[in-house]
C-alpha cells in the first residue's frame, strides 16, 4: 500500500494481495572476512522472502553494531553504511510481517541485553504461543524489557527478552531454555558479540541450512544464499537443533525431539527455484508438478504459457508431458510492487496490466493453457483471463500447480483470511465460471507431495487440508502484542531512541550500538 514516507509500496493493489513470503535470515561467522558485505549479498539472495524491512547486526568481540530500516536490502544499505559494520560475526534479516505491524520498531535483528552483553536475533516463522510468552516475559523481566519498551510488537522481541532473563546462565544455556518454551514455526539466527547461533523448531516448518566458507561458516534460509557468497552446502539445521559457532568450532545441542513437518508451500511458491530443500531441487519439483498436472488435467490446446515467474517451471513440465508447445505469452514488469507511487483509480482499474502484459502476436487465435502457482481470491486470474481474451485468445484453460488453498497458515505465511479464500466456498467448476476460464484444473495434493519426494508425514500441508501439525494459536493475527497494554512503554520516536542510546542504558542493550556512525544513525530513523 502507499506509504507516507516515500518508501516502497508493498503491493500495487492491496485488494489483491497474494500469499506473502516468510522472512529471510542469514548469519555468518568468519574472522578476516567482510561479514557485513557477505550478509548484504546473502540477504539480496533472500529478498523474495520479505520486502518490508532489512537489517544487519555485526559483532566484533566487544560490541554489536546494527543498522536496519524500512525498505528493500538495496534501499537500506550502501557501501558507506556497510563499511561501518566491522566485525567477525553477523546476523541479517529481510522481513515480511507476520506478528507485529510493518514499521521501523519491528525491523530485525531485534536487540536485547544479556548478563554478559547483547544478543541480536533474526527470526523466520511465526510463534503460536506469543500471548503465553508475553505473560512469561511480564512475570520474569517486566513487560517493558528491551525493544518492547520502544514499541516492538513482534514475537521475536519476546524471545530476545527471554534470552536475556537468565541471570546465572550463558546465552547458549539460556537459548536452550527459551527454545524449549517456544511453540510454532521458528528458524532463528542470532549472535552475541563473538558467537553465532542458529536454531530450528522441532517440526522444522521453515527451512534453514548450514554452509562452509574457506575461513568460516554461514547459516541461511535457503541454499541459494549460500551459493551467492561462495559457501558450500553442508547440511540442513535439524528440527529441534541449536547450532553454536565460535573460535572453538561448531557444536550442536538438541533442545527437542525432531518431528519433521516441513512447509509444502515452500516447494510451490516461497523458495527460489535454484534452492534445494530436503535434498530436492525446488525447480525440478515444480517441473515435475507440471508433468503430473498435465496427466491429471489434459486438454487440447495450441500453447502452454506460464504466469511469470512462479508459474514458469510447472508450465515447462506441463508442456513436456502434454506435447503442447511452450511459449511466453505474458511479459512481466519486474518492478511492479516496488513502486514509490500509489496508482490512480484509472490505473487501478487496469488491474493486472500493471504487472503483466500479453504478447498479442503470440496468443491471438490460440487455445491457451495458462499455468499459475495458486489462486487466492481469484481477482488476478479473472483479470488475466479477460486480458488474454481481449488480446485474441480463442480459449483460456487455467491450470494451477497447487491444490486449492482453503485454510489459513499460522506458521509464517500471510494468506488471505479463510473467508476471502475463493476455494473455501466454491467448487472447482464454480471457480472456473467465476474467473471466466474455459476450464480449470488444480494438481492433486497427493501428486504435489509425490513430486516433492518428501514423505507425506514429514510435511505441513495445513493450508491445503486443514491438518495442523502444531496447535494453532487461541488468538491469531499480526496485532497479538499490539492489543496488549505495555506499562512504561515509551513512544518510539527518534528522540527517545537516540536518548536511550546516548544514555547507554544497560537494560536494553542499545549502548552497544554507538561506535559506528551508520549504526548510531539507525537509532534516529523515524
Amino acid at each position: 500500500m502507499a506509504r507516507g514516507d516515500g518508501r516502497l509500496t508493498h503491493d500495487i493493489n492491496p485488494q489483491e494481495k497474494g500469499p506473502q513470503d516468510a522472512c529471510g535470515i542469514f548469519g555468518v561467522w568468519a574472522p578476516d572476512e567482510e561479514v557485513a558485505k557477505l550478509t548484504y549479498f546473502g540477504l539480496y539472495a533472500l529478498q523474495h522472502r520479505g520486502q518490508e524491512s532489512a537489517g544487519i547486526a555485526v559483532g566484533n568481540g566487544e560490541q554489536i553494531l546494527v543498522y536496519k530500516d524500512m525498505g528493500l536490502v538495496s534501499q537500506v544499505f550502501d557501501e558507506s553504511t556497510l563499511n561501518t559494520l566491522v566485525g567477525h560475526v553477523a546476523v541479517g534479516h529481510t522481513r515480511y510481517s507476520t506478528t507485529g505491524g510493518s514499521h521501523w520498531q519491528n525491523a530485525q535483528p531485534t536487540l536485547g541485553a544479556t548478563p554478559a552483553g547483547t544478543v541480536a536475533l533474526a527470526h523466520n516463522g511465526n510463534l503460536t504461543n506469543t500471548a503465553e510468552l508475553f505473560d512469561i516475559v511480564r512475570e520474569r523481566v517486566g513487560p517493558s524489557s528491551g525493544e518492547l519498551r520502544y514499541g516492538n510488537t513482534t514475537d521475536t522481541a519476546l524471545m530476545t527478552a527471554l534470552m536475556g532473563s537468565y541471570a546465572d546462565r550463558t546465552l547458549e544455556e539460556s537459548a536452550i531454555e527459551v527454545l524449549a518454551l517456544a511453540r510454532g514455526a521458528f528458524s532463528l539466527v542470532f549472535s552475541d558479540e563473538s558467537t553465532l547461533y542458529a536454531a530450528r523448531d522441532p517440526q522444522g516448518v521453515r527451512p534453514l541450512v548450514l554452509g562452509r566458507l574457506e575461513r568460516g561458516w554461514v547459516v541461511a534460509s535457503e541454499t541459494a544464499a549460500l551459493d551467492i557468497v561462495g559457501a558450500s552446502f553442508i547440511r540442513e539445521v535439524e528440527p529441534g537443533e541449536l547450532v553454536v559457532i565460535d573460535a572453538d568450532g561448531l557444536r550442536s545441542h538438541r533442545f527437542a525431539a525432531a518431528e519433521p513437518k516441513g512447509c509444502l508451500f515452500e516447494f510451490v511458491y516461497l523458495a527460489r527455484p535454484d534452492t534445494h530443500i530436503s535434498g530436492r531441487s525446488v525447480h525440478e519439483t515444480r517441473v515435475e508438478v507440471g508433468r503430473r498436472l498435465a496427466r491429471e488435467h489434459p486438454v487440447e490446446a495450441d500453447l502452454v504459457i506460464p504466469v511469470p515467474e512462479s508459474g514458469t517451471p510447472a508450465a515447462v513440465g506441463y508442456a513436456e508431458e502434454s506435447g503442447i508447445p511452450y511459449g511466453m505469452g505474458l511479459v512481466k514488469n519486474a518492478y511492479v510492487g516496488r513502486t514509490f507511487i500509489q496508482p490512480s483509480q484509472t490505473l487501478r482499474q487496469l488491474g493486472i496490466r500493471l504487472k503483466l502484459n500479453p504478447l498479442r502476436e503470440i496468443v491471438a487465435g490460440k487455445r491457451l493453457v495458462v499455468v499459475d502457482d495458486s489462486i487466492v481470491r481469484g481477482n488476478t486470474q479473472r483479470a488475466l483471463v479477460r486480458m488474454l481474451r481481449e488480446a485474441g485468445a480463442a480459449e483460456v484453460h487455467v491450470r494451477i500447480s497447487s491444490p486449492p488453498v482453503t485454510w489459513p497458515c499460522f506458521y509464517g505465511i500471510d494468506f488471505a483470511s479463510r473467508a476471502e479464500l475463493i476455494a473455501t466456498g466454491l467448487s472447482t467448476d464454480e471457480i472456473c465460471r467465476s474467473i471466466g476460464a474455459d476450464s480449470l484444473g488444480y494438481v492433486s495434493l497427493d501428486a504435489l507431495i509425490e513430486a516433492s519426494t518428501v514423505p507425506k508425514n514429514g510435511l505441513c500441508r495445513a493450508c491445503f487440508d486443514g491438518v495442523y501439525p502444531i496447535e494453532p494459536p487461541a488468538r491469531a493475527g499480526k496485532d497479538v502484542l499490539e492489543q496488549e497494554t505495555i506499562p512504561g512503554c515509551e513512544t518510539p520516536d527518534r528522540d527517545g531512541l537516540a536518548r536511550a542510546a546516548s544514555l547507554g542504558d544497560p537494560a536494553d542493550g542499545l549502548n552497544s550500538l554507538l561506535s559506528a556512525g551508520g549504526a548510531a544513525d539507525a537509532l534516529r530513523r523515524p
Side-chain angles (χ1 to χ4, degrees):
M1 297 179 65
R3 292 168 46 88
D5 58 7
R7 293 282 169 172
L8 78 156
T9 55
H10 176 69
D11 205 337
I12 202 72
N13 186 352
Q15 302 306 314
E16 179 53 15
K17 185 174 68 174
Q20 299 303 311
D21 302 0
C23 302
I25 58 176
F26 187 91
V28 56
W29 186 93
D32 304 319
E33 294 281 359
E34 293 181 283
V35 293
K37 290 184 178 180
L38 288 175
T39 304
Y40 171 86
F41 287 111
L43 294 179
Y44 208 90
L46 299 171
Q47 184 72 87
H48 61 289
R49 299 187 71 88
Q51 300 90 43
E52 293 181 358
S53 64
I56 296 174
V58 174
N60 60 16
E62 297 181 355
Q63 59 189 182
I64 290 179
L65 311 176
V66 66
Y67 194 99
K68 53 185 176 179
D69 207 346
M70 304 301 292
L72 303 176
V73 175
S74 60
Q75 292 174 316
V76 172
F77 298 100
D78 57 25
E79 190 88 23
S80 62
T81 302
L82 294 172
N83 286 339
T84 69
L85 300 174
V86 179
H88 69 275
V89 58
V91 170
H93 188 267
T94 183
R95 184 176 191 246
Y96 176 78
S97 53
T98 48
T99 295
S102 179
H103 50 76
W104 186 89
Q105 290 74 27
N106 287 343
Q108 297 183 34
T110 299
L111 299 166
T114 70
T118 307
V119 58
L121 190 147
H123 173 206
N124 172 209
N126 200 48
L127 300 185
T128 58
N129 65 335
T130 299
E132 176 187 330
L133 291 180
F134 182 75
D135 290 339
I136 296 174
V137 169
R138 191 192 332 242
E139 178 181 340
R140 184 174 296 174
V141 295
S144 58
S145 173
E147 290 198 16
L148 295 171
R149 177 186 310 174
Y150 302 109
N152 191 315
T153 54
T154 65
D155 47 4
T156 312
L158 293 177
M159 285 189 288
T160 306
L162 283 172
M163 285 185 183
S165 68
Y166 297 85
D168 57 345
R169 301 186 186 181
T170 65
L171 179 57
E172 189 170 333
E173 294 167 338
S174 299
I176 294 172
E177 297 285 340
V178 174
L179 294 170
L181 292 173
R183 299 287 181 272
F186 55 92
S187 286
L188 307 178
V189 175
F190 55 104
S191 79
D192 56 20
E193 288 78 0
S194 302
T195 305
L196 181 67
Y197 305 83
R200 201 171 173 204
D201 66 80
Q203 288 73 33
V205 177
R206 305 261 71 87
L208 192 63
V209 294
L210 178 68
R212 192 75 164 97
L213 294 168
E214 183 179 350
R215 294 178 292 182
W217 296 87
V218 175
V219 183
S221 293
E222 298 186 27
T223 61
L226 303 183
D227 297 338
I228 202 171
V229 299
S232 57
F233 171 76
I234 300 298
R235 63 176 176 87
E236 294 189 0
V237 176
E238 294 295 323
E241 180 186 22
L242 170 66
V243 172
V244 184
I245 301 167
D246 60 15
D248 295 325
L250 183 147
R251 56 189 176 275
S252 172
H253 302 282
R254 174 67 60 181
F255 65 87
E259 303 174 11
K261 296 290 181 182
C263 174
L264 183 56
F265 207 75
E266 291 278 353
F267 285 105
V268 173
Y269 175 77
L270 295 183
R272 282 175 50 146
D274 53 342
T275 280
H276 287 71
I277 299 176
S278 299
R280 172 71 161 168
S281 162
V282 171
H283 173 79
E284 182 51 40
T285 296
R286 292 174 183 169
V287 172
E288 178 59 24
V289 170
R291 296 189 188 107
R292 293 171 184 265
L293 183 58
R295 293 198 289 270
E296 291 184 339
H297 297 285
V299 66
E300 290 188 8
D302 304 309
L303 190 67
V304 176
I305 67 171
V307 177
E309 300 288 338
S310 56
T312 301
V316 170
Y318 194 104
E320 288 179 356
E321 183 68 23
S322 65
I324 302 170
Y326 170 89
M328 294 300 296
L330 295 164
V331 175
K332 180 180 180 181
N333 179 354
Y335 293 94
V336 169
R338 308 291 179 264
T339 178
F340 295 92
I341 306 300
Q342 178 78 2
S344 67
Q345 184 59 30
T346 300
L347 288 174
R348 194 186 304 284
Q349 289 172 351
L350 294 176
I352 199 170
R353 290 183 184 273
L354 294 165
K355 293 183 178 181
L356 299 168
N357 206 35
L359 288 165
R360 294 176 181 272
E361 297 80 3
I362 301 295
V363 305
K366 301 286 196 343
R367 299 172 296 174
L368 303 176
V369 177
V370 182
V371 181
D372 204 353
D373 62 272
S374 60
I375 298 179
V376 180
R377 295 176 178 86
N379 296 340
T380 293
Q381 285 75 21
R382 191 175 300 113
L384 179 63
V385 171
R386 182 172 61 250
M387 181 176 67
L388 289 170
R389 292 199 192 282
E390 290 172 354
E395 297 175 8
V396 182
H397 303 274
V398 176
R399 295 295 181 266
I400 304 299
S401 60
S402 67
V405 176
T406 54
W407 297 89
C409 176
F410 300 105
Y411 311 135
I413 307 174
D414 188 17
F415 285 114
S417 68
R418 190 157 195 254
E420 296 173 291
L421 293 169
I422 192 171
T424 299
L426 299 179
S427 68
T428 299
D429 287 343
E430 289 170 330
I431 296 171
C432 181
R433 289 195 294 272
S434 173
I435 65 176
D438 291 284
S439 70
L440 170 64
Y442 293 88
V443 75
S444 68
L445 181 57
D446 287 343
L448 175 59
I449 292 169
E450 289 169 5
S452 77
T453 71
V454 179
K456 183 176 183 179
N457 62 4
L459 290 166
C460 175
R461 320 167 305 272
C463 58
F464 302 125
D465 63 9
V467 178
Y468 291 97
I470 308 166
E471 184 178 357
R475 198 173 75 206
K478 289 186 181 184
D479 59 350
V480 171
L481 289 183
E482 276 137 351
Q483 295 172 16
E484 298 282 354
T485 300
I486 303 178
C489 178
E490 299 176 16
T491 302
D493 60 18
R494 68 182 73 185
D495 294 333
L497 288 168
R499 186 164 55 252
S502 64
L503 292 173
D505 186 345
D508 54 37
L510 292 173
N511 54 309
S512 60
L513 310 179
L514 300 175
S515 292
D521 178 65
L523 293 172
R524 296 191 294 271
R525 294 282 173 140

